[in-house]
Amino acid sequence: MFLIGKHKVLHIVDLTKDEYEEVPSIIIGTLYKHQELKPSILKEIAEELQAVPQPSRLNYCSTKDSLYLEDDVSRVKLVGNLTAEALVTGLICAVCGHQTKDGSFWVEDVCYPGPYLRSLNQTPSSCAKDHDKFILFLSGLDFVNEADSIPMDLLIEWITGSLGEEFVQEEAAKIVRVIIAGNSVRGLPKTFTRKGYFENKRKEALVNLEMHHSVHRLDKFISKIAGSCSVTLMPGEFDPSCHSLPQHSLHPNILPISSRGKNLYGTTNPWIGKIGSRIVGGSSGQPIEDIMKVSNVDLSPLDWLEKTLEWQHFAPTAPDTLAEYPFDQADPLVMNEIPNIYFVGNMERYETKLVQSIDRNDDSEGQPVRLICIPKFSTSQTAVLVDLDSLDTKPVSFGAVE
C-alpha cells in the first residue's frame, strides 16, 4: 500500500477491512459489466431444446446492468460517477473514491492506461521518409456477391495506373501499400435451420463451391494489383480463417497465384505494423461492432474507435462476448504502442478524425493519430487513400455519383 496525494492505493481485498471504510482510496483492476441479456451458452442450449426460447437481440443493454472491478482475488461493485451504458467488460482502469457502508465502491474519477486524446486541426510534422507515399485502404470486397462489378474493374485499373488522366495516374503511382481489411471473400453469413437436412446439405455444398470460386476471384484480384504495389491482406469475420481473435492470416495455398510473388503479406486480424516511419494498426470490424452491441450510448463507430485507443486495447470485450483464443501469459490484443494510423474495416460509411495524444504523466504532446472508418466496398464502392507524410485522408469512390 502507498499514497498518491491524499488517496491510499489498495488491493480490492483490502476494502473488506473496517479501517478503510469511507477512506479516500484508489483501486486498480479489470472492469466487468454484468448484463442479463448478453449471450450465454447455457441459454443457447436451453433455446435449442426449446425450453426457454431466447429472441435474437441487436443490443444487450438493460437498466439492470451493473459494473464491477475485479482482480485475481476479489471484486467490488462500482457505483457513483460511472455510466454503465458507455463502458464494456475487459477494461483495465484505476478508480478513485471510497468504500460505502453497503460494501460498494463510490467512484469519483476513473483513469485508463491510454493517453488523453484531443482533436488536431493542423498538419503533423512531416518525415522525408514518407514523402509522396500513400496507403490505400479497402474492406468488404465480398467477391461472393460482387465478383464482376464495374467498380471493382475500375478499382483495379486505377491502382495499376491504367485509368484517368495523367495527374490521376501520378497519384495512383504513389500508392506503396494496399491494406485489405477483411471480408474479402464473403461479406455476410450463410445460415441454415435444422429443418430439411438433405436440402440443407445440398445448399451447403453450393455454398462451399461458391466460396471456392470467390477465393479464386480474390486471388486473381490480388495478383493484378500486387504487380504495382505491396498488399497486406487481413482476414475478416466471414473469410476462410479461424473464428476466434486474433484471426490467422489466410493460408498461402488458397491464394496460389498471388502467393508466388513477394508483394503479398498475409496478416492477422487485428494487426499492427510499420510502413515507412508510421505505425499502422487496426481490425476488420468485429471489435467495434461487438462494443456497439453491449453499449447503449449515441456514439458513432469512429467514437468507439477513439475510445479503444484511450483504453489501449484492440478488442476489450474479448473473450466475454467476442471469441478470443485463450492466452495464459499475455494478451496479444493489448496495444503496446500507439499507432499513427488506426483503422477499422467493414463499416457502413466513411469517417475520419485526426487526434493528438497527450501523455497522462507530464501533459506532453505525443504523436498524432489518424482514425479511419473504412466503408464496405461492396456497398459503398469507396476506398480510402491516406498520405503517409501528412496523414491527410480522402475517400476515392468508383460508384455512381448520387
Side-chain angles (χ1 to χ4, degrees):
M1 182 190 70
F2 58 94
L3 291 173
I4 296 180
K6 297 181 179 180
H7 293 78
K8 294 183 178 181
V9 179
L10 305 175
H11 295 289
I12 297 176
V13 69
D14 293 334
L15 296 175
T16 59
K17 301 176 182 178
D18 294 337
E19 60 185 289
Y20 294 125
E21 186 176 313
E22 302 290 341
V23 174
S25 55
I26 296 173
I27 53 176
I28 302 172
T30 303
L31 197 69
Y32 173 75
K33 184 176 180 179
H34 177 71
Q35 294 182 290
E36 294 182 357
L37 301 180
K38 72 180 180 182
S40 165
I41 185 61
L42 296 178
K43 290 181 180 179
E44 290 178 7
I45 293 174
E47 178 185 3
E48 186 174 345
L49 298 175
Q50 297 182 351
V52 183
Q54 295 291 317
S56 57
R57 293 182 177 273
L58 298 177
N59 190 278
Y60 309 134
C61 283
S62 73
T63 56
K64 297 180 180 179
D65 294 350
S66 55
L67 297 173
Y68 295 83
L69 194 71
E70 60 183 26
D71 55 20
D72 54 352
V73 177
S74 57
R75 65 159 55 175
V76 63
K77 186 176 182 179
L78 301 180
V79 294
N81 300 324
L82 282 178
T83 305
E85 293 85 353
L87 296 171
V88 299
T89 293
L91 306 181
I92 303 297
C93 61
V95 294
C96 172
H98 62 269
Q99 188 184 23
T100 61
K101 294 182 179 180
D102 64 357
S104 301
F105 191 86
W106 180 269
V107 177
E108 298 171 359
D109 199 3
V110 60
C111 180
Y112 302 105
Y116 289 116
L117 300 171
R118 71 180 182 193
S119 296
L120 182 65
N121 296 321
Q122 63 185 18
T123 303
S125 58
S126 61
C127 175
K129 188 176 181 180
D130 300 322
H131 184 63
D132 272 351
K133 292 182 179 179
F134 291 84
I135 300 177
L136 183 69
F137 287 95
L138 297 167
S139 73
L141 297 177
D142 192 10
F143 274 98
V144 166
N145 300 309
E146 303 292 330
D148 301 315
S149 67
I150 294 177
M152 190 73 71
D153 294 335
L154 293 175
L155 172 64
I156 295 172
E157 292 180 8
W158 177 66
I159 294 175
T160 56
S162 304
L163 182 69
E165 300 179 5
E166 184 177 351
F167 75 93
V168 176
Q169 296 176 357
E170 289 177 354
E171 182 180 61
K174 297 176 183 178
I175 298 175
V176 297
R177 182 70 63 95
V178 175
I179 297 178
I180 305 176
N183 288 356
S184 304
V185 178
R186 183 184 294 280
L188 294 171
K190 278 282 186 178
T191 57
F192 303 99
T193 62
R194 298 182 63 186
K195 298 179 180 180
Y197 174 79
F198 293 104
E199 181 182 352
N200 285 336
K201 290 294 288 184
R202 287 192 294 270
K203 288 182 179 179
E204 185 177 358
L206 291 174
V207 168
N208 291 336
L209 181 62
E210 188 179 55
M211 176 74 76
H212 172 76
H213 291 322
S214 301
V215 169
H216 181 63
R217 296 186 192 109
L218 173 63
D219 192 14
K220 291 198 298 183
F221 168 79
I222 294 175
S223 65
K224 290 177 182 178
I225 65 175
S228 303
C229 57
S230 299
V231 178
T232 295
L233 179 63
M234 298 171 59
E237 182 178 4
F238 309 116
D239 286 331
S241 179
C242 59
H243 177 67
S244 301
L245 297 184
Q247 287 183 288
H248 298 167
S249 60
L250 300 186
H251 198 283
N253 286 350
I254 70 174
L255 302 169
I257 302 174
S258 51
S259 295
R260 293 172 191 162
K262 298 181 179 180
N263 280 348
L264 175 62
Y265 301 90
T267 65
T268 60
N269 171 38
W271 166 77
I272 189 168
K274 195 168 186 179
I275 301 176
S277 66
R278 301 296 192 184
I279 298 174
V280 183
S283 72
S284 295
Q286 299 102 303
I288 301 301
E289 290 176 350
D290 193 66
I291 288 173
M292 295 176 72
K293 289 180 181 178
V294 297
S295 59
N296 192 25
V297 289
D298 188 19
L299 294 179
S300 69
L302 187 68
D303 295 326
W304 286 118
L305 186 67
E306 183 176 353
K307 281 188 172 293
T308 60
L309 191 62
E310 183 183 358
W311 297 335
Q312 220 160 353
H313 202 287
F314 283 108
T317 57
D320 184 44
T321 52
L322 186 63
E324 180 188 6
Y325 187 83
F327 295 92
D328 59 347
Q329 298 296 326
D331 186 354
L333 302 183
V334 171
M335 291 185 191
N336 296 315
E337 50 189 345
I338 303 298
N340 298 112
I341 301 173
Y342 186 36
F343 66 89
V344 59
N346 294 289
M347 297 292 102
E348 294 301 324
R349 60 191 179 94
Y350 163 75
E351 291 182 290
T352 187
K353 184 180 182 180
L354 188 63
V355 297
Q356 177 81 55
S357 60
I358 306 296
D359 191 278
R360 293 182 184 270
N361 296 321
D362 54 11
D363 292 332
S364 61
E365 291 189 354
Q367 60 190 17
V369 183
R370 169 63 71 177
L371 306 173
I372 309 172
C373 288
I374 310 167
K376 301 175 185 176
F377 189 85
S378 59
T379 56
S380 67
Q381 291 82 48
T382 299
V384 180
L385 192 65
V386 181
D387 189 330
L388 271 178
D389 184 12
S390 65
L391 296 183
D392 290 338
T393 178
K394 69 174 183 179
V396 182
S397 181
F398 299 89
V401 179
E402 297 181 359

